[in-house]
Amino acid sequence: MAVKTYLQAISDGLRSEMQRDKRVFIIGEDVGVYGGAFKVTQGFQEEFGAWRVIDAPLSETAIVGGCTGAAMMGMRPVAEMQFADFISCAWDHLVTVAAKQRYRAGTPVPITVRLPSGGGFSGGPFHSQNPESSFAHIPGLKVVCPATPADAKGLLIEAIQDPNPVLYFEHKHLYRRIKDEVPEERYTVPFGEARMHREGDDISLVTWGAMVYTADEAAQKLEGEGISVEILDLRTLAPWDKEAVLRSVEKTSKALVLHEDTLTGGFGAEIAATIGEEAFESLDAPVRRIAAPDTPVPFSPPLEKAFIPQVEDVVAGLKELAEY
Amino acid sequence: MAVKTYLQAISDGLRSEMQRDKRVFIIGEDVGVYGGAFKVTQGFQEEFGAWRVIDAPLSETAIVGGCTGAAMMGMRPVAEMQFADFISCAWDHLVTVAAKQRYRAGTPVPITVRLPSGGGFSGGPFHSQNPESSFAHIPGLKVVCPATPADAKGLLIEAIQDPNPVLYFEHKHLYRRIKDEVPEERYTVPFGEARMHREGDDISLVTWGAMVYTADEAAQKLEGEGISVEILDLRTLAPWDKEAVLRSVEKTSKALVLHEDTLTGGFGAEIAATIGEEAFESLDAPVRRIAAPDTPVPFSPPLEKAFIPQVEDVVAGLKELAEY
Amino acid sequence: MAVAREAEPVSSLTEIKEAGLDREDLLGIYRHMLLTRGIEERGHILYKQGKIPGSFYTGRGNEAASVGIATAMGPEDVGTPLHRDMGVHIVRGVEPWRIFAQFMGRADGPTKGKDGNVHMADDRLGLIAMVSHLPAMLPVAVGCALAFRIREEKRVALTWFGEGASARGDTHEGMNLAGVRRLPVVFICDNNQWAYSTPTHLEYACEHIADRAKAYGFEGVVVDGTDVLAVYREAKAAIEKARDGGGPTLIECLTLRMEGHAVHDDASYVPKEMFEEWAKRDPLERYRTWLRENAEFTDEEEDEIRSQVKKLLNDAVQRADESPDPDVDTLLDGVYATPEDLDTPHHK
Amino acid sequence: MAVAREAEPVSSLTEIKEAGLDREDLLGIYRHMLLTRGIEERGHILYKQGKIPGSFYTGRGNEAASVGIATAMGPEDVGTPLHRDMGVHIVRGVEPWRIFAQFMGRADGPTKGKDGNVHMADDRLGLIAMVSHLPAMLPVAVGCALAFRIREEKRVALTWFGEGASARGDTHEGMNLAGVRRLPVVFICDNNQWAYSTPTHLEYACEHIADRAKAYGFEGVVVDGTDVLAVYREAKAAIEKARDGGGPTLIECLTLRMEGHAVHDDASYVPKEMFEEWAKRDPLERYRTWLRENAEFTDEEEDEIRSQVKKLLNDAVQRADESPDPDVDTLLDGVYATPEDLDTPHHK
Ligand SMILES: Cc1ncc(C[n+]2csc(CCOP(=O)(O)OP(=O)(O)O)c2C)c(N)n1
Ligand SMILES: Cc1ncc(C[n+]2csc(CCOP(=O)(O)OP(=O)(O)O)c2C)c(N)n1
Ligand SMILES: [Mg+2]
Ligand SMILES: [Mg+2]
């Protein structure tokens, strides 16, 4: 199997869906001639033409609202936000129209919004955010956060074929840093099924996105100390795989939830609350949450490092749990 | 002390601040000549003139963005959303500018946004929402949800004098239904201090807004059955009074969190997760959450009734906990 | 200094025949306008009877504008009408009893009780249900037009917005995208001079909303929204222009909102004389006179249409009232679409 | 068919004196332009040396526009400059070393390492720090103007936006509110012909962005953004008009973005000839020639200014580099303002 970067896997998945399905088109700022700020759609306009790879005006509302209308007319739009942060400018269209149209009026809105998210390279407060929790709270939206190249491809194809609005968060810090085997053929990864990233017996660590790798490093460090950590990569937050999480916690009896988004009201709270409610009798320790502190994402490298959960933070949290 | 409706208390609080402090002005759709969709600012334009009670164009972004600028120039703007639901149109300005300007650039943004929220009268999906959880997740914003007339006045004055952006959710279903004593003089209710609505020994019920009354009815019903429920009215979600909640749970050893917003990723998750994490050793039962199901707010009365948590739902939840 | 063209009234039967309407169409228009008003009047009664939960909005005074535009739409065209545009639903053929069921929140309303008021549409008739947030459906309609353009279909999207909603960013982003890409979309401003209690000079500072079309690179036209035939003719021209690749048009229909913003509002902020003046230009009355003067409209014809409409409404109210409340078990249904939902011709 | 007025170049020393600038001001402008370019050139070097984290943006080609506008501002006026408007910070008097410290994310940058790039401002100088989201600061500036209007102060707010950002709803809502209420605000469109890789015809479909002013009930003017004196004159007129209660003006400064969108972008999508053509109109060179031809600008004067600026920059880079990284303990500081933060003259 070919080894590909996370970014290449996204690009490949998108290209193959566009080749297979004429209803799929992409619209966003600078996605055409320039190939996108991160070059995910490089070469696409040559291949598919300017009406399937559309350079939009600087108009997030028109992009997302426009995708909604096109989807209602039978297209399968894929919108690219230049950075996930800018989705705040289309919040209304997602929560008001796309999320509710099926329930209210019976009209499906099969759109995919691609959101380059996450920090780690001094992007500052507006090019580093992880706004997935905000959307995971809105009934009617689906939220996807792949961590591996193979999932990035399979989940993107699933997002495009899903009959609902899907927010697809692609973590910028994984784009070129993470490489792995990706099947050539078309495949989908179903929503709502966590990936067992690493099996273990002592503590369940539930996470997603770039934090999977932070978790993994922490787990490796603790291996030597005889602490066996099971890592579940949720892959999708809406829907999220409650069963897999509860199953794991019932086995290990301890849980840590880790995310890069800020702590208070982050989606980790939902997971921790659910574990606390539904696995109460299995728990041998409080469910711990590790997340970014409740501040905007700072720019300066030392501040940003202190902001994003680091391997040491996770190691410390796991140890605390192990000793509990 | 005079007895006033919740609505009158809000109106009085706002008027007295405008009389006291020339920097305070109000801007919103139809707040002037018409006195606001709910008549909170009735008579204000006559009293304060058209430049302190400003009928804005139908432009939530200009209203909130404009308040941000005016606040930076030393004013104390109060924006009225016609319904809380329409704040989705100003999401970007709140999370991008108002919430982050102090941290990034040192500039305080003392604005108050008044948000008539909540369901119970067939307002349908766009005139019934309780979007407070979405904002409580954003560092830099404060979120206020008064339940009583006295708190409505005191928290509004506190919101206006607070040097930060404050989202003030006023529950429409309480406007004219709830009457109580309200002091005539100026006073403030501090943020982050829960109100002990009812003392009890067996279960802690944590809630806010209109659900305080649902909780109260449920507690009364259970009194006869020998179940003693303590009700904490949080009053503000950001900041929220963790200490008071933990103190109560340490006493009762059981907790139920109740809110009108939808369940998954709602702010109840944060509270439940925190109790689970910090009062783990005190808990004799899982922390239960009761909230609206994960759907838009339906219009038809029987559907809406099934959607909004009812006294019976709370009674059932409390009984389950009591029997645990 | 106006920038947009101001449309003339339609002068004769010949002129309107050239614009594509024969005498039967003309009577159909009258019937649709009568039905539009009748539905809203009945709705008002139902509301007073306590049969309509929540609030209740009408488009009284806007019947010519909504019917005129919709009459000009082709069968494959799509539209996103708003709360003053009942006539669009009527012309596209929604059954009146379903509308009453919608008002009453019943299981047979187009939204099955999930939403209320005219927040509804039958997508099989080429309409898309509005949301409250104004004018969020405008960029959505632009997206429909984008789909038509991508697939090189000769279809047009129509979208409505009030002069109040013209102040929102959605209006701008949608029109700008449509202008830049010359998409087949027609924008209709229902300028009824009030946005709730807010008068036009507090919503915009140019002379006509239609003047703004130039800012987006296309044409604007102001039309008397009480003149159904002038509205029809302008809409027809704009729609066919869009269909032929000529890009968008912005049509501003000038009317007065003849009632309060919604049923609870007595509109005391509207000067009485304004109502009096515009009452003289009642769109139904005006059209009736035109038909009599230009199309030999007889008493018998009028009586027949009136009694047909009356019966239709009586039956509709009754049938709607027989529709049950939605089953509480449907509360959780349909938040997410299933693949089968996409099993429509559109989505192949 | 253009709607906006197209501004003429400034012809003589007499004319510019009438517009309020004496010879010393003119040399000051040159110095500010030189400093503006110098800071960005040094920034580029620092970036290549790995001393600037994240990305790096410049306003090369926009020095005349940013300096010209800012020179016309009064001391009590406020502004929300963007990422191509370094000249505004310079004219208002921010110390260059603080800008370098900002670029490098150091503790002495105006944002103390919390934000980067030109996402900064010193509010004591009447400037407000931009956010990334374009053009969110535009409605904020309108709000500043609203405060001035409410308090009946004779102050003006200035706000910048790119021709790309003109497509966003914020532009529309802000301008509309300003037009309706005739607020004292001047809108400046930095039209540098590219929005990242997107050319103007994909961002707007009218001839000039300034044409849109009419849609909001005020005047628009297009000015050659490489001509600092024409920019100054137009800005001065617009600012004083606003100050005198004449309402907003939209000034469009036409330039070319002379580099990539940011340091990583080679701008290969921009036709070479375009760069060549606009290189001939380099704002600094152009102004230098004007000074020589119209104001007897001597070699000695020029040398002196150049060496002053050079020394200033050398010192500034060094001082900035001595500034420490922010203390990690400051991570949690300042998310919320305290009452003491409001202890400023503004907030009494
Ligand atoms: C974004 C948004 N803000 C506020 C409202 C509340 N609201 C409902 S109708 C209305 C007035 C609309 O005026 P206009 O656009 O002129 O339409 P009209 O009702 O006059 O037909 C307002 C403010 C809304 N629906 N959407
Ligand atoms: C709302 C928003 N969407 C996307 C971006 C990403 N972005 C940064 S600069 C830019 C191009 C801006 O073009 P223009 O407004 O012409 O300003 P210029 O950079 O050319 O000065 C884009 C798309 C942004 N900053 N804000
Ligand atoms: Mg109106
Ligand atoms: Mg540009």
Side-chain angles (χ1 to χ4, degrees):
Chain A
M1 231 186 293
V3 168
K4 289 190 174 149
T5 61
Y6 181 89
L7 186 141
Q8 196 58 49
I10 296 170
S11 184
D12 287 357
L14 185 54
R15 179 185 276 111
S16 72
E17 274 317 271
M18 289 187 71
Q19 287 166 343
R20 200 185 66 86
D21 186 345
K22 282 186 66 163
R23 300 169 306 179
V24 181
F25 71 94
I26 174 134
I27 182 167
E29 291 150 21
D30 309 294
V31 297
V33 171
Y34 194 70
F38 298 98
K39 302 293 180 187
V40 170
T41 55
Q42 184 145 47
F44 278 42
Q45 202 175 59
E46 285 90 326
E47 183 171 349
F48 301 108
W51 282 103
R52 285 186 68 206
V53 185
I54 304 177
D55 276 321
L58 209 167
S59 300
E60 282 74 12
T61 286
I63 292 169
V64 173
C67 285
T68 300
M72 289 174 176
M73 294 299 106
M75 302 298 284
R76 292 290 178 280
V78 178
E80 176 179 298
M81 294 290 109
Q82 201 153 81
F83 284 80
D85 310 70
F86 300 127
I87 196 63
S88 53
C89 300
W91 170 261
D92 178 51
H93 265 265
L94 286 167
V95 309
T96 300
V97 188
K100 298 186 173 56
Q101 204 73 5
R102 173 65 186 82
Y103 184 76
R104 291 191 321 114
T107 315
V109 181
I111 65 175
T112 302
V113 184
R114 290 185 34 239
L115 299 143
S117 58
F121 41 84
S122 292
F126 304 115
H127 291 75
S128 310
Q129 292 174 90
N130 296 279
E132 64 267 17
S133 308
S134 299
F135 295 97
H137 174 53
I138 307 296
L141 301 179
K142 296 193 175 181
V143 175
V144 181
C145 304
T148 70
D151 283 349
K153 178 175 168 185
L155 287 168
L156 180 58
I157 296 176
E158 179 71 8
I160 295 172
Q161 75 173 24
D162 192 282
N164 293 286
V166 180
L167 288 113
Y168 178 93
F169 289 89
E170 38 194 72
H171 201 292
K172 301 189 293 291
H173 205 44
L174 304 180
Y175 269 161
R176 295 168 208 276
R177 200 163 55 94
I178 298 299
K179 294 190 180 71
D180 203 356
E181 293 192 335
V182 178
E184 274 307 322
E185 72 278 7
R186 180 180 193 273
Y187 62 94
T188 61
V189 173
F191 291 171
E193 289 189 17
R195 182 179 63 87
M196 177 64 74
H197 178 77
R198 177 192 177 98
E199 288 195 74
D201 299 313
D202 299 332
I203 305 173
S204 302
L205 195 166
V206 183
T207 191
W208 60 87
M211 285 295 114
V212 168
Y213 301 94
T214 306
D216 191 71
E217 275 189 59
Q220 283 181 36
K221 290 212 168 158
L222 290 178
E223 208 167 25
E225 307 188 24
I227 302 171
S228 158
V229 179
E230 176 149 306
I231 299 177
L232 275 174
D233 168 11
L234 281 186
R235 302 201 283 199
T236 67
L237 297 193
W240 69 282
D241 194 347
K242 199 159 89 168
E243 286 67 37
V245 170
L246 294 176
R247 221 180 301 125
S248 175
V249 175
E250 272 150 28
K251 178 174 76 174
T252 62
S253 78
K254 290 179 178 176
L256 187 149
V257 187
L258 168 67
H259 59 66
E260 191 180 318
D261 188 13
T262 54
L263 180 76
T264 300
F267 202 72
E270 177 63 34
I271 298 164
T274 302
I275 297 171
E277 196 162 353
E278 304 195 22
F280 182 73
E281 295 294 345
S282 313
L283 283 175
D284 285 342
V287 182
R288 277 274 283 145
R289 286 183 288 159
I290 294 183
D294 292 328
T295 77
V297 188
F299 167 78
S300 114
L303 292 182
E304 191 187 22
K305 182 155 181 279
F307 174 85
I308 296 178
Q310 302 291 321
V311 174
E312 312 84 81
D313 304 322
V314 181
V315 165
L318 288 167
K319 273 196 184 165
E320 239 183 69
L321 274 184
E323 285 157 17
Y324 194 93
Chain B
M1 228 187 295
V3 167
K4 290 192 173 149
T5 61
Y6 180 89
L7 187 142
Q8 196 58 49
I10 295 170
S11 183
D12 287 357
L14 185 54
R15 178 185 275 109
S16 71
E17 274 317 270
M18 289 186 70
Q19 286 165 344
R20 200 185 65 88
D21 186 346
K22 282 187 66 164
R23 300 170 305 178
V24 181
F25 72 94
I26 174 135
I27 181 167
E29 292 149 21
D30 308 294
V31 297
V33 172
Y34 195 70
F38 298 98
K39 302 290 181 190
V40 170
T41 55
Q42 186 145 47
F44 277 42
Q45 202 174 60
E46 284 91 326
E47 183 172 349
F48 301 106
W51 282 105
R52 284 186 68 206
V53 185
I54 304 177
D55 276 320
L58 209 168
S59 300
E60 282 74 11
T61 286
I63 292 169
V64 174
C67 285
T68 300
M72 289 174 178
M73 294 300 105
M75 301 298 285
R76 291 290 180 277
V78 178
E80 176 179 297
M81 292 291 108
Q82 200 152 80
F83 285 80
D85 310 71
F86 300 127
I87 195 62
S88 54
C89 300
W91 170 260
D92 178 50
H93 265 265
L94 286 166
V95 309
T96 300
V97 188
K100 298 184 174 58
Q101 204 73 5
R102 174 65 187 80
Y103 184 75
R104 290 192 321 113
T107 316
V109 181
I111 64 175
T112 301
V113 184
R114 289 185 34 239
L115 299 143
S117 58
F121 42 85
S122 293
F126 304 114
H127 292 73
S128 310
Q129 293 174 88
N130 296 279
E132 64 267 16
S133 308
S134 299
F135 295 97
H137 174 52
I138 307 296
L141 301 179
K142 296 194 176 181
V143 175
V144 181
C145 304
T148 69
D151 282 349
K153 178 175 168 184
L155 287 168
L156 180 58
I157 295 176
E158 178 70 9
I160 295 171
Q161 75 173 22
D162 192 282
N164 293 285
V166 180
L167 288 113
Y168 178 92
F169 289 89
E170 37 193 75
H171 200 292
K172 301 189 294 290
H173 206 43
L174 305 180
Y175 269 160
R176 295 167 207 277
R177 200 163 56 94
I178 299 299
K179 292 189 181 72
D180 203 355
E181 293 190 337
V182 179
E184 275 308 321
E185 72 280 6
R186 180 180 193 272
Y187 63 95
T188 59
V189 173
F191 291 171
E193 288 189 16
R195 182 178 62 86
M196 177 64 72
H197 178 79
R198 178 191 176 96
E199 288 196 71
D201 299 313
D202 299 334
I203 305 173
S204 303
L205 196 166
V206 183
T207 191
W208 61 88
M211 285 295 114
V212 168
Y213 301 93
T214 306
D216 191 73
E217 275 190 58
Q220 284 181 37
K221 290 213 167 153
L222 290 179
E223 208 166 23
E225 307 188 24
I227 301 171
S228 160
V229 179
E230 176 150 304
I231 299 177
L232 275 176
D233 168 10
L234 281 187
R235 303 201 282 197
T236 67
L237 297 193
W240 69 281
D241 193 348
K242 201 159 87 167
E243 285 66 36
V245 170
L246 295 176
R247 221 180 300 123
S248 175
V249 175
E250 271 150 29
K251 177 173 76 175
T252 63
S253 77
K254 289 177 178 178
L256 188 148
V257 186
L258 169 67
H259 59 67
E260 191 180 316
D261 187 13
T262 54
L263 181 74
T264 301
F267 201 73
E270 178 63 34
I271 298 163
T274 302
I275 297 172
E277 196 161 351
E278 303 195 24
F280 183 73
E281 295 294 342
S282 313
L283 284 175
D284 285 343
V287 182
R288 278 274 283 146
R289 284 182 290 160
I290 294 184
D294 293 326
T295 76
V297 188
F299 167 79
S300 116
L303 291 183
E304 191 187 21
K305 183 153 181 281
F307 173 86
I308 296 178
Q310 302 292 321
V311 175
E312 313 86 77
D313 303 322
V314 180
V315 166
L318 289 168
K319 274 196 181 160
E320 239 182 70
L321 273 184
E323 286 157 16
Y324 193 92
Chain C
M1 186 212 58
V3 178
R5 180 167 62 81
E6 302 197 29
E8 297 291 322
V10 167
S11 53
S12 67
L13 194 59
T14 326
E15 189 194 339
I16 200 66
K17 277 192 173 158
E18 275 163 17
L21 297 179
D22 61 24
R23 192 168 182 284
E24 206 167 318
D25 297 328
L26 292 174
L27 299 194
I29 286 176
Y30 187 67
R31 186 174 167 280
H32 284 145
M33 287 171 69
L34 218 54
L35 199 48
T36 299
R37 177 163 297 176
I39 282 180
E40 296 187 334
E41 285 177 347
R42 296 293 178 107
H44 206 138
I45 294 168
L46 288 170
Y47 184 86
K48 287 193 178 149
Q49 292 171 340
K51 292 207 162 168
I52 294 185
S55 191
F56 184 65
Y57 304 78
T58 77
R60 193 173 187 100
N62 202 48
E63 297 89 346
S66 62
V67 169
I69 301 275
T71 305
M73 287 172 71
E76 298 294 314
D77 296 340
V78 301
T80 64
L82 294 188
H83 51 302
R84 312 294 180 199
D85 303 313
M86 181 59 74
V88 177
H89 298 274
I90 298 301
V91 174
R92 297 298 289 187
V94 66
E95 292 171 279
W97 77 276
R98 303 246 294 151
I99 300 175
F100 291 122
Q102 167 78 8
F103 288 165
M104 297 193 271
R106 304 297 174 82
D108 292 301
T111 69
K112 305 187 171 115
K114 297 284 176 61
D115 205 338
N117 292 300
V118 66
H119 292 184
M120 58 161 204
D122 187 335
D123 55 12
R124 291 161 308 176
L125 304 174
L127 299 182
I128 299 172
M130 69 176 283
V131 296
S132 282
H133 295 50
L134 296 170
M137 302 317 287
L138 189 148
V140 173
V142 171
C144 297
L146 182 63
F148 302 156
R149 177 63 189 78
I150 294 172
R151 295 193 300 240
E152 298 185 341
E153 293 170 352
K154 293 222 167 273
R155 296 167 68 187
V156 178
L158 287 90
T159 187
W160 283 258
F161 65 108
E163 86 290 349
S166 75
R168 279 285 321 287
D170 284 35
T171 314
H172 176 72
E173 294 202 12
M175 288 199 184
N176 186 58
L177 175 59
V180 160
R181 293 287 179 173
R182 290 178 73 80
L183 298 179
V185 54
V186 177
F187 299 100
I188 300 112
C189 180
D190 285 335
N191 189 343
N192 58 13
Q193 304 187 63
W194 297 89
Y196 209 148
S197 75
T198 309
T200 54
H201 73 274
L202 293 182
E203 295 286 358
Y204 58 92
C206 49
E207 189 177 350
H208 296 297
I209 292 291
D211 296 346
R212 289 193 173 157
K214 279 276 170 272
Y216 305 109
F218 48 85
E219 265 181 279
V221 52
V222 186
V223 57
D224 181 342
T226 68
D227 179 347
V228 67
L229 297 182
V231 169
Y232 166 81
R233 185 196 52 207
E234 297 305 325
K236 186 80 185 167
I239 291 169
E240 297 315 323
K241 179 181 173 182
R243 201 185 306 291
D244 293 342
T249 304
L250 166 50
I251 301 176
E252 177 176 0
C253 298
L254 263 179
T255 60
L256 181 68
R257 194 193 68 206
M258 296 302 289
E259 297 180 319
H261 171 66
V263 67
H264 66 274
D265 170 21
D266 67 5
S268 56
Y269 47 83
V270 178
K272 241 200 200 129
E273 310 76 54
M274 210 170 178
F275 278 132
E276 285 164 8
E277 190 201 318
W278 284 81
K280 292 181 206 145
R281 294 158 72 175
D282 178 71
L284 270 95
E285 211 30 53
R286 191 173 166 172
Y287 184 47
R288 191 171 149 273
T289 308
W290 189 95
L291 284 174
R292 288 187 173 265
E293 287 174 2
N294 293 278
E296 298 170 354
F297 190 39
T298 65
D299 284 349
E300 294 72 46
E301 283 174 320
E302 189 177 344
D303 287 347
E304 201 193 318
I305 293 175
R306 284 191 177 276
S307 62
Q308 273 176 2
V309 165
K310 192 171 174 183
K311 180 164 172 3
L312 184 57
L313 291 172
N314 286 342
D315 295 350
V317 168
Q318 196 184 329
R319 186 165 173 199
D321 207 6
E322 286 161 9
S323 172
D325 274 332
D327 193 323
V328 171
D329 292 346
T330 63
L331 173 64
L332 303 180
D333 293 353
V335 176
Y336 290 95
T338 60
E340 298 75 57
D341 284 327
L342 298 182
D343 216 4
T344 70
H346 268 338
H347 284 277
K348 296 292 176 195
Chain D
M1 187 210 58
V3 178
R5 179 168 61 82
E6 303 197 28
E8 297 291 321
V10 168
S11 53
S12 67
L13 194 60
T14 325
E15 189 194 340
I16 201 67
K17 279 193 173 156
E18 275 163 17
L21 297 180
D22 61 22
R23 192 168 181 282
E24 204 167 322
D25 298 328
L26 293 174
L27 298 195
I29 288 176
Y30 187 68
R31 187 174 166 281
H32 285 145
M33 287 170 69
L34 218 53
L35 198 50
T36 300
R37 179 163 295 175
I39 282 181
E40 297 188 335
E41 285 177 346
R42 296 291 178 110
H44 205 136
I45 293 168
L46 289 170
Y47 184 86
K48 285 194 180 150
Q49 292 171 341
K51 292 205 164 169
I52 295 185
S55 192
F56 183 66
Y57 303 78
T58 77
R60 192 175 188 97
N62 202 48
E63 297 89 347
S66 61
V67 169
I69 302 274
T71 304
M73 288 172 71
E76 297 295 315
D77 297 339
V78 299
T80 63
L82 295 187
H83 52 302
R84 313 293 180 199
D85 303 313
M86 180 59 73
V88 177
H89 299 273
I90 297 303
V91 173
R92 298 297 288 187
V94 66
E95 292 169 281
W97 75 278
R98 302 246 295 150
I99 299 175
F100 291 121
Q102 167 79 8
F103 288 166
M104 297 193 270
R106 303 298 174 82
D108 292 301
T111 68
K112 304 185 172 119
K114 297 284 177 60
D115 206 338
N117 291 301
V118 65
H119 293 185
M120 58 160 205
D122 186 336
D123 54 14
R124 291 161 307 175
L125 304 174
L127 300 182
I128 299 172
M130 69 175 283
V131 298
S132 281
H133 296 51
L134 297 169
M137 302 317 287
L138 190 148
V140 173
V142 171
C144 297
L146 182 63
F148 303 155
R149 177 64 189 76
I150 294 172
R151 296 194 301 242
E152 298 186 341
E153 292 170 352
K154 294 224 167 273
R155 295 166 68 188
V156 178
L158 286 91
T159 186
W160 283 258
F161 65 109
E163 85 292 345
S166 75
R168 280 282 324 285
D170 284 34
T171 314
H172 176 74
E173 294 201 13
M175 288 198 186
N176 187 57
L177 175 59
V180 160
R181 294 286 178 174
R182 288 178 74 80
L183 299 178
V185 54
V186 177
F187 299 100
I188 300 112
C189 180
D190 284 334
N191 189 342
N192 59 12
Q193 304 188 61
W194 297 89
Y196 208 147
S197 74
T198 309
T200 54
H201 73 274
L202 294 181
E203 294 286 358
Y204 59 92
C206 49
E207 191 178 348
H208 295 298
I209 292 292
D211 296 345
R212 289 193 174 156
K214 278 276 170 275
Y216 305 110
F218 48 84
E219 265 183 279
V221 52
V222 185
V223 57
D224 181 341
T226 67
D227 179 347
V228 66
L229 297 182
V231 169
Y232 166 81
R233 186 195 53 209
E234 297 305 324
K236 186 81 184 168
I239 290 169
E240 297 315 323
K241 178 181 174 183
R243 201 185 306 289
D244 293 343
T249 304
L250 166 50
I251 301 176
E252 177 177 1
C253 298
L254 263 178
T255 60
L256 181 67
R257 193 192 69 208
M258 295 302 288
E259 297 179 319
H261 171 66
V263 66
H264 67 273
D265 171 20
D266 67 6
S268 56
Y269 46 82
V270 178
K272 244 202 200 126
E273 309 75 57
M274 210 169 178
F275 279 131
E276 286 163 8
E277 190 200 318
W278 284 80
K280 293 181 204 144
R281 295 159 70 177
D282 177 71
L284 270 94
E285 210 29 54
R286 193 174 164 172
Y287 184 46
R288 192 172 148 269
T289 307
W290 189 95
L291 285 175
R292 290 190 172 261
E293 287 172 3
N294 293 277
E296 298 170 356
F297 190 38
T298 65
D299 284 348
E300 294 71 46
E301 284 174 318
E302 190 179 343
D303 287 348
E304 198 191 321
I305 294 176
R306 283 192 178 276
S307 61
Q308 275 177 359
V309 166
K310 194 171 170 184
K311 179 163 171 11
L312 184 56
L313 291 173
N314 286 343
D315 294 350
V317 168
Q318 195 184 331
R319 184 162 175 202
D321 207 8
E322 285 161 10
S323 173
D325 275 331
D327 194 323
V328 170
D329 292 345
T330 64
L331 173 65
L332 303 180
D333 293 354
V335 175
Y336 291 94
T338 60
E340 297 74 55
D341 284 328
L342 298 182
D343 216 6
T344 70
H346 267 338
H347 285 275
K348 296 291 174 194

